[in-house]
Amino acid sequence: MSEILDNLRYSEEHEWAQQGEGRTVRIGITDHAQHLLGDIVFVEFPEIGTAVTAGESVGSIESVKTVSELYSPVSGTVTRVNEALEDSPELLNGQPYGDGWIYEVEVDGDYAEVTAGLLDAAAYRELVGE
């Protein structure tokens, strides 16, 4: 059974969004997603300063089994990437909600507005059948 945190919002593509300081939103993949991927060996990030659009591909995640697209759950400008994943992509497997976060974006509007179209924890549990 996958860990699903109540304080996050989730996309149907298995990314999560977490409210940061100000207009910052932190993005990662869910525990369910990392289980499906298996051992993660490489992460392709969006570049800092890149404008991203909700629902569009912003990078990829490579595992020993497959390569999967990384989609942005919110629109905004990338302000930070988790450089620790360059040397230790396996953090996504061990700590998908902690040290395995992928990137941060600055959004236009407040967190509730920009994540309104995302799933809450209960809806995400239903989506993944848990």
Side-chain angles (χ1 to χ4, degrees), residues 19-113:
Q19 186 172 12
E21 292 186 25
R23 295 184 302 149
T24 299
V25 177
R26 182 171 278 186
I27 311 292
I29 64 168
T30 66
D31 190 40
H32 179 79
Q34 70 84 17
H35 280 298
L36 292 174
L37 288 167
D39 294 336
I40 296 170
V41 296
F42 179 76
V43 179
E44 176 190 34
F45 305 101
E47 290 189 30
I48 293 173
T50 300
V52 297
T53 302
E56 292 190 3
S57 176
V58 296
S60 63
I61 299 172
E62 183 178 341
S63 72
V64 294
K65 296 195 286 189
T66 189
V67 175
S68 180
E69 293 292 317
L70 174 64
Y71 297 95
S72 186
V74 297
S75 298
T77 302
V78 177
T79 57
R80 189 173 167 207
V81 298
N82 186 354
E83 294 176 359
L85 295 177
E86 292 176 342
D87 294 328
S88 301
E90 68 276 3
L91 287 171
L92 284 170
N93 293 115
Q95 301 177 43
Y97 301 119
D99 291 340
W101 64 275
I102 300 175
Y103 65 101
E104 293 180 344
V105 297
E106 185 174 321
V107 296
D108 292 327
D110 69 19
Y111 180 76
E113 289 173 340

